[in-house]
Amino acid sequence: MAPNFECKLEKILQGHQRWVWDCAFSADSAYLVTASSDHVARLWELASGETVRQYNGHRKAAVCVALNDMNLVT
């Protein structure tokens, strides 16, 4: 028997221009980092849905990310 739970979409994060390949949540789930085919990684503040920091300069698609939020500074 499948568990009875309901999921709902809370927010759409807009900013990447191509596919998002990977993401990682901060330990407190306040932030999300994403990697995309648009050659950009982004750090999102989930409460506002805004990009806090954008990491440019990748020559090819950013396909994986990891987040060490021990010293997360915005």
Side-chain angles (χ1 to χ4, degrees):
M1 180 181 264
N4 186 12
F5 63 91
E6 184 178 321
C7 295
K8 66 177 187 164
L9 179 65
E10 289 189 24
K11 197 169 287 186
I12 296 175
L13 303 175
Q14 295 183 332
H16 284 296
Q17 302 300 311
R18 295 194 177 184
W19 289 99
V20 171
W21 289 104
D22 195 17
C23 66
F25 286 93
S26 62
D28 62 1
S29 298
Y31 296 92
L32 178 74
V33 64
T34 54
S36 172
S37 292
D38 63 6
H39 304 194
V40 175
R42 291 176 183 265
L43 177 66
W44 305 85
E45 181 183 44
L46 294 176
S48 67
E50 298 295 320
T51 299
V52 175
R53 201 168 278 161
Q54 182 170 309
Y55 303 95
N56 298 313
H58 303 282
R59 293 180 187 213
K60 295 186 178 184
V63 295
C64 63
V65 292
L67 179 61
N68 177 355
D69 57 352
M70 295 298 291
N71 296 309
L72 185 63
V73 177
T74 57

